[in-house]
Amino acid sequence: MTQIHVSTTINGDAVEFLCEAQETLLDVLRDRLGLTGAKEGCGTGDCGACSVTLDKRLVCSCLVLGAEVEGREITTIEGMADGEILHPLQQKFLEHAALQCGICTPGILVAAKALLEKNPDPTETETRYWLAGNLCRCTGYDKIIRAVMDAAEQMRGA
Amino acid sequence: MARDDKPEAEGRVFKIVGTRPIRPDGIDKVTGRARFGADMSAPGMLVGLVLRSPHAHARIRGIGTARAEALTGVKAVITRADFALDSGDIDDDDLRDILHNVMAHDKALYDGHAVAAVAAVSAPVARRALALIEVDYEVLPHVIDVDEAMKPDAPVLHQGRSDETVPAGMSANVMHRFEFGHGDVEAGFAEADVVIERSFRTAATHQGYIEPHACLASMGPDGQADLWCCTQGHYMVRNTCAGLLGLDASQLKVTASEIGGGFGGKTTVFLEPVALALARKSGRPVKMVMSRDEVLRASGPTSSTSIDVKIGMKRDGAITAGWAELRYQGGAFPGSPVQFGAMSCFAAYDLKNVQAIGWDVVANRPKQAAYRAPGAPMGAYAVESVVDELCEKLGLDRLEVRLKNASRDGTKAAYGPRFGRIGLTATLEAAKAHPHYTAPLGPNQGRGVACGFWFNFGGDTCVTLNVNADGTVGLSEGNPDIGGSRAAMTMMAAEELGIPYERVRTTIADTSALGQNEVTDGSRVTFAVGLATIKAARAAITVMCARAAKIWGIDEDAVVWEDGHAKPAGPNAGQFPPMSLAEIAALYANTGGPIAGHHEVTAEGAGVSFATHLVDAEVDPETGAVTILRYTVFQDAGKAVHPAYVEGQFQGGAVQGIGWALNEEYIYGADGRLQNPGFLDYRIPVASDLPMIDTVIIEVANPGHPYGVRGVGETSIVPPLAAVANAVSAAAGVRLTQLPMSPPKVLAAIDAARG
Amino acid sequence: MVRVAIWGSLRAATGGRAEVEVEAGNLRELLDRLAEAHPGIRPQIDRGVSVVIDGLVYNDSWFTPVRPDSEVVLLPRIVGG
């Protein structure tokens, strides 16, 4: 099968890969590029575990084809911390115990970061609606919402 | 009671236990580095996929694999014939059922039942190969509903599996009858001023872990095999797969990945034996990952149920008798958790006359798997709904009535034994005193109360604790960390040794490193592994005290361990400066060799756990939609080792229960196929559905644990079905008796009540 | 003799008695004697039971002592999720 050559930027690095036409961006990230931080919970865009940003827009990478990202900019959970310095959201998730099993955590962090870039001072309701596309089965969301609100406050003060 | 009931932990002042340190696996999990089931690869790896039955019930007359095998890139195709052991070789009913479920034998028993599998060089090739496998099905009549399955003329899944408890003449789908209780319920009802009898139904729900089942298997021609998988118990996976494939347990090494949720659903095997069989046949590593559709169609949901409850009450709120009959279908194989429903449904009440009957029934659905306090939430839902209705009818306060009838220390439980130290009344008193209980409600709003109970469990446990030369400690345990248990173990080891939390690192060891460990289930890990960790630390302390005694030239018995130091005691007190753990560790080679402690035990003595939940709900009378406005959990944790993760268990269980109460259900078509196998149509709660979930941790120490710990993971899902149903019924002005209380059902109930 | 409480559906094997007496000093003896005296209980013991002794649940530990005054209750085997 003829493969498609794609040049793109991932977490600031130039990346090239070959993929088949039907392969999703999530398949490419996980199976071809070794970026397994994005998770496949459903493959149908319902759970948000595969959230990444594409040209700063939050997307489910399972609903984007690998071939579509030619010339675009992708960020994933692997690009969130600055070396060994965690992003305030990552730090607040740890402090608030906002994860139990951790499978949804990368997607929720990517989604929450996209929220705070758009709206640095979200209300609880805005935060809940923004994250409504990211399923968590362990926490009941309480500590996640608290962690995001706390991180937002810290980032506004910074 | 003969037993000395005073908890060892009483009066102990903890330094680390009870604080909220950051979990040791945290950074890996917020940076994407943590490796879950599907995150592992191997050189030369193949992709394995499963062919599943499109029929709810069908005889398999033949399977043609030749065309699939001939496809370029296909390295192995397997069917049931490729499992070394067939049903005739297995005398263990449970293991045989697992094999029948992993790969269908003569019949496909539900939509999604595995019938064959392939391993190929890529997923697209594997998918094409699945389409080339020819299965000759003879479609049979099917049955989905539990009450239908019990009818004498229902389609039968298995002949001759009913056991001796089932009366003659019943459908062959009825597998077992349970009965619990004491006293004379008829006499009790005769004493009552009001008797209410109601019938309830609950839909099957799925555990809904976000991580689908996944594994990576390899096996050499010598029978040595390695398996990486997401599971609640890799020792169970090893034992089961070895049994199904005819391997020696010693030859199969299983490593547990990080696990993306389980809630009971990862206490069995699905893909693992298939991947091993494909790896054996192909000679290559095989990775298998379920799709969400496969997870919902073919991995464990819990039972759907049909329950009748009858309770009698005097005007003053005293319950005179309770009776329940519970019917649970457990999917295509025996083993629904109906006995736990029947045992636990009246556990919160001190009753003179009580009887609960349970029927275990099979139907053409996936084999149920344990789901958080398996069987208990449905029974509690039915009983707590009737108690609520009695309170309403008699104009009595719901918490006062529960307190009046509550099980206390020494109460003879409805399921037989007497309770030891329990915290039910403490949760009820806390709820009564909480501002939530008296907060005003608006129009179309209602408040619900319910209690819940779970047994908890101990089980096989091995822990090894190694003291390193630099004064740090490595702790190896064998239970996958599903919600922060490494943090709890690290805390307990550090507490006991008297060293900082950061000096201990806890690892989940593979199956070659430790002896048998029971699955992470039954809320057992913080209790049982914690107990073994404390005992392993004490064993290491004994060694370190002996080393210090040698160094000082005094008797071993004259050394005590305090605050992370060996100190001379008795007649030698003060003669030598205390030696720290690090100082003793540094001299290990000169004083007798490496220093370690270990503990192996089948932990018994888990303490039961009770909770009371309070919830406010609002019903939209135009649409029937329900909004949860406020929620508070009051639960006895015995001792909360890491309170943040205890709160997390309370909150997570409550929200799973809210989903069960309001939205989640398996919907079948007339063809017996599951119609909603995806997260869009099988709707679990999302962030915007919910308020904050407030928690109150009650600590009534468990005498069976050195620190007083009780399991906390399961009880939290028991009350919410009833609590939410009671709140919705109050808000809607009509009693709801079916779950889920989805908008159409609520609206229909409101319309019916309006006439 | 130790008195053992039997759950409802198992009473078919004890002639309807809710409580039976056996001579036993530990859990293993208790189960062995029960199965000998009441063969109808054996299939359930083979399927799995838990035994509550003085309020604590035991699943496996054969040599757990049982005293004549112990309160002993037989239950289907307790597991969890």
Side-chain angles (χ1 to χ4, degrees):
Chain A
M1 196 167 295
T2 312
Q3 298 204 326
I4 300 159
H5 177 267
V6 177
S7 301
T8 189
T9 303
I10 301 179
N11 300 328
D13 297 330
V15 173
E16 290 181 54
F17 60 84
L18 294 172
C19 69
E20 295 189 13
Q22 77 275 21
E23 267 180 81
T24 66
L25 174 59
L26 179 60
D27 293 335
V28 169
L29 291 172
R30 290 181 54 82
D31 300 338
R32 293 191 181 264
L33 302 177
L35 294 169
T36 55
K39 308 299 179 190
E40 180 162 329
C42 67
T44 49
D46 298 314
C47 80
C50 65
S51 296
V52 301
T53 64
L54 186 59
D55 294 340
K56 301 201 166 147
R57 181 167 166 231
L58 182 65
V59 296
C60 288
S61 59
C62 72
L63 297 183
V64 176
L65 290 170
E68 287 182 85
V69 303
E70 172 70 35
R72 301 173 77 174
E73 282 189 26
I74 298 158
T75 65
T76 71
I77 186 63
E78 285 90 348
M80 197 158 171
D82 180 10
E84 58 180 21
I85 302 164
L86 296 179
H87 186 278
L89 277 163
Q90 293 171 309
Q91 187 60 38
K92 290 297 177 191
F93 267 56
L94 296 179
E95 289 170 12
H96 284 267
L99 55 140
Q100 283 177 36
C101 80
I103 192 85
C104 70
T105 309
I108 290 188
L109 285 167
V110 167
K113 181 163 175 271
L115 166 65
L116 299 188
E117 280 164 6
K118 250 182 151 56
N119 178 359
D121 191 8
T123 63
E124 182 190 328
T125 301
E126 285 168 342
T127 306
R128 286 184 177 278
Y129 275 85
W130 181 272
L131 293 177
N134 290 84
L135 302 181
C136 169
R137 191 59 157 173
C138 294
T139 65
Y141 304 101
D142 182 299
K143 292 181 190 300
I144 291 173
I145 301 300
R146 288 178 201 277
V148 174
M149 305 283 288
D150 193 14
E153 190 181 330
Q154 183 188 316
M155 288 165 71
R156 286 195 303 275
Chain B
M1 296 208 22
R3 190 188 154 80
D4 176 9
D5 214 20
K6 188 176 180 314
E8 179 188 336
E10 208 159 84
R12 177 165 176 168
V13 178
F14 292 101
K15 292 201 168 90
I16 296 171
V17 165
T19 65
R20 300 174 179 236
I22 286 175
R23 60 194 286 165
D25 53 323
I27 288 178
D28 279 355
K29 286 185 173 161
V30 298
T31 55
R33 283 208 297 265
R35 283 191 298 186
F36 290 84
D39 296 339
M40 187 62 106
S41 299
M45 180 176 88
L46 303 174
V47 174
L49 290 178
V50 173
L51 183 69
R52 297 183 181 279
S53 167
H55 305 296
H57 196 191
R59 191 166 305 288
I60 299 170
R61 287 190 291 222
I63 303 177
T65 59
R67 290 176 64 211
E69 282 161 339
L71 183 69
T72 304
V74 173
K75 302 298 178 186
V77 180
I78 62 165
T79 64
R80 181 54 179 278
D82 290 272
F83 287 87
L85 294 182
D86 218 319
S87 45
D89 303 323
I90 301 178
D91 58 4
D92 177 331
D93 279 349
D94 292 340
L95 196 60
R96 195 166 52 234
D97 285 344
I98 290 169
L99 178 58
H100 283 319
N101 192 44
V102 161
M103 194 62 73
H105 188 221
D106 54 340
K107 289 206 295 187
L109 293 165
Y110 56 91
D111 166 40
H113 198 167
V115 296
V118 302
V121 293
S122 71
V125 174
R127 276 194 289 271
R128 285 195 286 278
L130 288 186
L132 294 173
I133 297 173
E134 294 153 326
V135 186
D136 180 11
Y137 292 107
E138 176 195 345
V139 178
L140 302 171
H142 64 269
V143 62
I144 297 293
D145 179 79
V146 61
D147 292 323
E148 293 296 320
M150 290 180 76
K151 289 182 177 165
D153 57 348
V156 168
L157 280 78
H158 314 276
Q159 287 291 354
R161 288 295 301 276
S162 305
D163 68 23
E164 74 284 353
T165 60
V166 178
M170 295 193 81
S171 162
N173 294 327
V174 180
M175 293 291 156
H176 194 102
R177 177 183 181 275
F178 293 94
E179 185 193 320
F180 303 93
H182 54 253
D184 180 341
V185 288
E186 288 313 320
F189 289 130
E191 287 173 37
D193 292 313
V194 181
V195 176
I196 290 181
E197 182 169 6
R198 286 264 177 266
S199 296
F200 299 87
R201 295 179 66 81
T202 70
T205 58
H206 195 276
Q207 296 81 351
Y209 33 83
I210 307 300
E211 179 199 33
H213 298 270
C215 65
L216 172 62
S218 65
M219 194 187 309
D222 57 359
Q224 285 193 42
D226 284 277
L227 182 65
W228 160 274
C229 62
C230 56
T231 176
Q232 288 177 243
H234 43 307
Y235 292 81
M236 170 278 297
V237 170
R238 177 198 56 187
N239 299 349
T240 307
C241 290
L244 296 181
L245 289 144
L247 305 174
D248 292 340
S250 62
Q251 298 302 321
L252 173 56
K253 184 178 90 176
V254 184
T255 306
S257 71
E258 293 299 330
I259 174 170
F263 316 107
K266 290 176 182 166
T267 58
T268 183
V269 297
F270 298 104
L271 297 177
E272 296 84 352
V274 178
L276 283 164
L278 287 167
R280 177 162 65 185
K281 198 162 184 177
S282 66
R284 302 258 296 261
V286 175
K287 180 169 170 176
M288 300 187 79
V289 183
M290 277 196 196
S291 66
R292 180 55 52 183
D293 173 281
E294 289 179 289
V295 169
L296 288 166
R297 284 168 70 207
S299 75
T302 188
S303 293
S304 66
T305 74
S306 160
I307 303 171
D308 305 322
V309 170
K310 184 176 177 184
I311 300 175
M313 193 179 276
K314 285 192 173 290
R315 269 186 205 93
D316 65 358
I319 298 176
T320 58
W323 172 88
E325 184 160 3
L326 305 92
R327 299 166 290 272
Y328 290 18
Q329 66 73 28
F333 298 91
S336 83
V338 71
Q339 71 273 32
F340 301 126
M343 289 162 76
S344 65
C345 64
F346 287 109
Y349 297 99
D350 182 354
L351 301 178
K352 231 166 63 188
N353 306 300
V354 58
Q355 185 184 39
I357 296 160
W359 298 95
D360 177 24
V361 182
V362 295
N364 292 110
R365 300 179 183 233
K367 184 180 197 289
Q368 67 80 35
Y371 182 17
R372 208 169 194 161
M378 310 81 133
Y381 157 64
V383 166
E384 290 291 78
S385 291
V386 174
V387 170
D388 198 71
E389 195 175 345
L390 283 162
C391 294
E392 186 190 339
K393 191 152 186 174
L394 291 168
L396 298 170
D397 181 88
R398 288 157 170 82
L399 283 177
E400 292 295 353
V401 166
R402 285 177 171 83
L403 271 166
K404 185 181 182 74
N405 296 285
S407 289
R408 295 161 192 270
D409 297 3
T411 291
K412 183 175 167 59
Y415 64 96
R418 282 182 197 285
F419 288 121
R421 275 173 66 107
I422 57 172
L424 173 60
T425 55
T427 68
L428 286 162
E429 294 287 2
K432 206 171 90 179
H434 196 278
H436 183 169
Y437 193 55
T438 47
L441 289 166
N444 300 314
Q445 295 180 357
R447 177 161 300 141
V449 176
C451 297
F453 160 86
W454 186 245
F455 305 91
N456 294 331
F457 177 62
D460 308 328
T461 308
C462 298
V463 165
T464 291
L465 184 150
N466 292 303
V467 178
N468 303 316
D470 65 353
T472 62
V473 168
L475 180 73
S476 292
E477 49 120 334
N479 276 89
D481 176 356
I482 207 159
S485 63
R486 266 169 295 198
M489 296 318 137
T490 304
M491 291 171 78
M492 284 187 268
E495 180 80 47
E496 201 60 27
L497 293 167
I499 60 175
Y501 174 79
E502 295 73 20
R503 292 270 176 88
V504 181
R505 178 160 181 183
T506 301
T507 301
I508 314 300
D510 66 53
T511 55
S512 67
L514 294 169
Q516 177 68 18
N517 283 281
E518 166 70 37
V519 172
T520 295
D521 73 349
S523 303
R524 74 175 216 93
V525 172
T526 307
F527 165 72
V529 185
L531 184 147
T533 296
I534 292 164
K535 297 275 176 80
R538 289 178 183 174
I541 285 168
T542 303
V543 174
M544 289 187 285
C545 286
R547 300 292 172 91
K550 272 192 197 166
I551 290 166
W552 293 328
I554 65 174
D555 199 36
E556 281 181 25
D557 297 343
V559 180
V560 294
W561 189 265
E562 282 174 14
D563 291 335
H565 291 74
K567 292 179 183 169
N572 305 300
Q575 282 196 8
F576 308 98
M579 286 187 80
S580 71
L581 180 144
E583 287 166 337
I584 297 168
L587 297 172
Y588 78 90
N590 309 106
T591 58
I595 297 169
H598 61 99
H599 192 71
E600 294 79 28
V601 66
T602 296
E604 313 269 28
V608 303
S609 159
F610 282 96
T612 299
H613 288 199
L614 275 183
V615 55
D616 297 350
E618 181 169 326
V619 173
D620 181 337
E622 302 306 315
T623 64
V626 174
T627 307
I628 301 296
L629 303 169
R630 184 170 183 180
Y631 204 106
T632 312
V633 176
F634 306 85
Q635 186 176 322
D636 176 17
K639 174 71 194 174
V641 175
H642 193 308
Y645 288 104
V646 171
E647 291 162 3
Q649 289 296 321
F650 290 5
Q651 292 164 334
V655 168
Q656 280 186 317
I658 291 170
W660 198 336
L662 294 181
N663 297 310
E664 295 177 36
E665 65 180 314
Y666 266 46
I667 300 169
Y668 283 90
D671 58 359
R673 301 195 65 184
L674 183 63
Q675 295 190 322
N676 58 336
F679 275 142
L680 188 61
D681 300 315
Y682 183 90
R683 192 179 183 286
I684 72 172
V686 303
S688 54
D689 293 339
L690 297 162
M692 292 298 185
I693 308 294
D694 294 329
T695 56
V696 177
I697 300 173
I698 311 288
E699 293 185 327
V700 177
N702 168 22
H705 186 278
Y707 296 172
V709 168
R710 294 174 197 269
V712 297
E714 292 173 288
T715 301
S716 54
I717 202 173
V718 181
L721 281 58
V724 174
N726 291 342
V728 171
S729 298
V734 55
R735 177 61 48 181
L736 277 298
T737 57
Q738 287 190 29
L739 301 187
M741 295 175 288
S742 52
K745 281 191 197 147
V746 174
L747 197 58
I750 291 172
D751 287 347
R754 281 174 186 155
Chain C
M1 297 289 266
V2 180
R3 287 182 310 179
V4 183
I6 304 294
W7 77 83
S9 39
L10 216 52
R11 290 174 199 160
T14 61
R17 278 181 296 163
E19 207 170 72
V20 297
E21 292 200 337
V22 293
E23 194 69 60
N26 63 35
L27 182 57
R28 181 194 196 181
E29 290 169 6
L30 185 124
L31 294 176
D32 285 352
R33 296 297 100 75
L34 265 180
E36 283 163 20
H38 309 282
I41 293 182
R42 188 179 292 279
Q44 180 63 46
I45 290 178
D46 291 346
R47 281 193 293 269
V49 291
S50 293
V51 182
V52 185
I53 303 172
D54 295 327
L56 293 180
V57 177
Y58 296 86
N59 273 0
D60 298 294
S61 302
W62 272 357
F63 306 111
T64 305
V66 183
R67 285 184 301 273
D69 64 341
S70 292
E71 190 198 61
V72 178
V73 182
L74 207 60
L75 295 176
R77 194 177 177 88
I78 308 264
V79 294

